[in-house]
Amino acid sequence: MKEYFQLQYKMLNRKMIDFGLPLLIGYPLLLFLFILLSNYLFRNTEFANYVYGLIALSFVSRLSDPKRNDFLKSIFNKDKYKKLRVVENLIYCLPFTLFLIYKEQFVFSILLNLLIIIIMLFNFSTNVNVTIPTPFSKKPFEFAVGFRKTFYVFPIAYVLTYISVSVGNFSLGVFSVLLIGITCFSYYSKIENDYFVWNYNLSPKEFLLEKTKTCLINFLLLSLPIIITLSFSFFNQIDILIVFILLCFAYLTTIIFAKYSSFPNEMNVSQLILIATSLIFPPILLIFIPLFYYQSIKKLKDILND
């Protein structure tokens, strides 16, 4: 079992290096972003511990993939498999546990870890082949693929919106919009084969416009129930809601342009640092968006018709 976790650690390091992020920068950057987002959540809603628990459970539940667990069962005996799954779940939940302890949510941190262990006890059938339908077309692929992997996030966001209206907490509703924005943001971390870009048969400018338009429309489609609910329930704060929606637009546009500014390679360290910087000071996006856009145009000229 020790060798398994050593292998997982080496694979994580390799993924980070392949992503263009040195380990000395990558791990501190991930820690910084985790603390930043966690503090934002606890600062803006009184129900942060419950929201935090839902996020942690959805994160750890990714380890319950049937194919993955069938593979582990073929390697380890029953006792070692259960022990490994418990330890693995607790490790994945550890950042959330430590932050809850920091916030003096001791009872809730214990309950969360008990739930994390209980998740391991569920056996998912591998004989059922279910294709989750999506409201998105196959072209572009980001939302069709991403939605199927993160479909559980959206019911969570909608439930949080209901809670925000029930208790009159506008900040929790805004967090629901941001949660969907962050989820959509993650869809653009994967680099496709250049053939799928060439297949558009568009100029670089038209291609980026098409990608951006599709992304923003799909984001609106997913967040529309939340936006409508908050608009009616917190009409006096609709201007703040519009600001956060526009902020999501800006970050989604940024990640698209940043992705293709280094295409067909992964985003490099400097780009990730710039994006991380913009999380602290969003107005700097007015500089980064045009910068990534012109870099993308140059990269795409070799693949698309100009």
Side-chain angles (χ1 to χ4, degrees), residues 117-136:
I117 295 173
I118 291 173
I119 286 178
M120 185 277 302
L121 300 177
F122 285 97
N123 293 318
F124 298 94
S125 174
T126 59
N127 297 322
V128 180
N129 186 15
V130 178
T131 300
I132 299 172
T134 78
F136 314 110

Side-chain angles (χ1 to χ4, degrees), residues 35 158 270:
I35 295 174
Y158 300 147
S270 60

Side-chain angles (χ1 to χ4, degrees), residues 60 63 84-93 116 119-120:
V60 176
L63 297 174
L84 182 144
R85 289 287 288 110
V86 169
V87 174
E88 190 174 38
N89 280 12
L90 291 176
I91 290 175
Y92 267 64
C93 188
I116 291 299
I119 286 178
M120 185 277 302

